[in-house]
Amino acid sequence: MHPSPAFLGAAQVERHLPRASLLLPPLEAALADFSRGAGGGVAQPVRTVVPIQKYSGFLGVMPAYSANDDALATKVVTFYENPTDLTVPSHQATVLLFDPSNGTLKAVMDGSVITAKRTAAVSAIATKLLMPAHSEVLCILGAGVQAYSHYEIFTELFSFKEVRIWNRTKEKAEKFACSVNGPVRVCSSVQEAASGADVIVTVTMATKPILQGEWVKPGAHINAVGASRPDWRELDNAIMQNSVLYVDSREAALRESGDIILSEAKIFAELGEVLLGIQPALREKTTVFKSLGKGVKNSPVLH
């Protein structure tokens, strides 16, 4: 008889995960394996999303198998546009880890910490490859869980002289500034936060563009993390059509990203193709990394 699967809550997952910066090498390998196609040993369909129309919510299912890591995992995530109970996170996730040799469920884990750290680490990989030389100013739009995880790894890996934050609710931005280690400038508008910034991170629940191209410094790098539905957007057409666009998955981006679909922007490369040397990192250009997340990137984090 097989033993019961392990159950790990958020606090246990936090204890077992390494420092954020240590996640980069396995995630870089996962991105590269994915972009190798069939030769990379990765099997991963585009996530299935089930609308929960009555409550303006969504259920997403993200399975993946990595032959190189011999890891089989599925992430199940829910997210709600307008949560009525503010004590409940808008995004919640659970990760299931299986024995790939026989399909036995080995562990059920809270996926919120994994998602937060993994998403921010992939943004950090894109930033390492694409941000302009001598970047000094970091702008974060949004003040939720992803804002904290991005701040943590970005300030650990990079030497920004100034960090700015904006949020629709200024009180949340002020709470963020008081909660993190290091000085953060709270901005009253997106324009104030973004103008002159070298690196911009958008981690909002916006459904229509909040960041305008006229506010973006030429040569800046943008990590677009929110707007994960085909009719949601964070960036306007001026940004999308006049930047070099990188994604984690072409197939997923063309199906799920409203920023790309509605602007008809052309994808230049997957991040894994840059890591493989197939495509260049054009850091002298204005660049956008559209992050949608992939199941395979959960596997190396957990392995």
Side-chain angles (χ1 to χ4, degrees):
M1 184 174 179
H2 292 291
S4 299
F7 289 87
L8 283 76
Q12 293 170 293
V13 172
E14 182 82 59
R15 286 198 302 270
H16 283 85
L17 277 178
R19 286 179 60 190
S21 60
L22 297 179
L23 298 175
L24 266 64
L27 287 170
E28 288 176 347
L31 287 162
D33 286 344
F34 178 82
S35 292
R36 284 190 179 97
V42 170
Q44 178 194 274
V46 175
R47 82 179 123 202
T48 297
V49 178
V50 179
I52 310 164
Q53 295 180 346
K54 181 178 179 179
Y55 300 104
S56 298
F58 301 87
L59 170 70
V61 182
M62 304 166 64
Y65 171 63
S66 171
N68 291 339
D69 295 297
D70 200 26
L72 178 64
T74 296
K75 183 168 79 171
V76 182
V77 58
T78 57
F79 52 104
Y80 286 75
E81 290 184 67
N82 303 299
T84 54
D85 185 350
L86 297 181
T87 64
V88 177
S90 60
H91 290 64
Q92 299 181 73
T94 301
V95 175
L96 309 176
L97 188 65
F98 300 90
D99 183 336
S101 69
N102 58 25
T104 300
L105 180 64
K106 303 296 288 184
V108 179
M109 294 168 284
D110 180 279
S112 299
V113 174
I114 294 169
T115 298
K117 288 183 178 291
R118 188 268 306 150
T119 303
V122 174
S123 293
I125 292 169
T127 301
K128 181 178 69 171
L129 294 170
L130 299 170
M131 73 177 180
H134 312 297
S135 292
E136 296 184 346
V137 180
L138 170 65
C139 161
I140 301 175
L141 304 179
V145 171
Q146 286 292 346
Y148 284 91
S149 61
H150 277 75
Y151 177 88
E152 177 188 0
I153 192 168
F154 275 48
T155 54
E156 179 184 336
L157 293 176
F158 310 117
S159 299
F160 293 106
K161 293 182 178 179
E162 181 182 3
V163 180
R164 306 172 187 166
I165 188 164
W166 170 88
N167 191 70
R168 284 189 193 278
T169 307
K170 192 171 183 179
E171 291 76 14
K172 284 189 70 175
E174 291 171 341
K175 179 182 177 182
F176 178 97
C178 294
S179 301
V180 299
N181 295 320
V184 175
R185 174 181 154 196
V186 177
C187 297
S188 299
S189 68
V190 175
Q191 182 176 2
E192 179 188 351
S195 295
D198 299 292
V199 176
I200 301 171
V201 179
T202 61
V203 281
T204 73
M205 289 289 286
T207 58
K208 299 192 181 303
I210 58 166
L211 183 62
Q212 307 294 319
E214 63 191 282
W215 305 333
V216 176
K217 173 183 176 179
H221 171 63
I222 302 167
N223 295 295
V225 179
S228 58
R229 298 294 298 146
D231 55 346
W232 293 2
R233 298 191 64 176
E234 291 183 306
L235 314 182
D236 73 353
N237 282 357
I239 296 172
M240 295 303 300
Q241 294 174 355
N242 295 292
S243 302
V244 182
L245 177 59
Y246 296 82
V247 297
D248 44 16
S249 164
R250 275 190 180 84
E251 184 182 9
L254 292 172
R255 185 181 298 186
E256 296 184 332
S257 171
D259 280 317
I260 294 172
I261 296 167
L262 298 177
S263 69
E264 299 182 345
K266 303 302 181 185
I267 297 170
F268 178 73
E270 291 181 347
L271 208 56
E273 293 173 332
V274 178
L275 293 164
L276 290 168
I278 297 170
Q279 294 287 359
L282 300 176
R283 63 170 67 241
E284 71 279 6
K285 305 284 189 179
T286 304
T287 55
V288 171
F289 170 57
K290 178 57 198 173
S291 172
L292 285 165
K294 303 207 300 284
V296 70
K297 290 186 293 189
N298 293 298
S299 299
V301 170
L302 302 170
H303 196 56

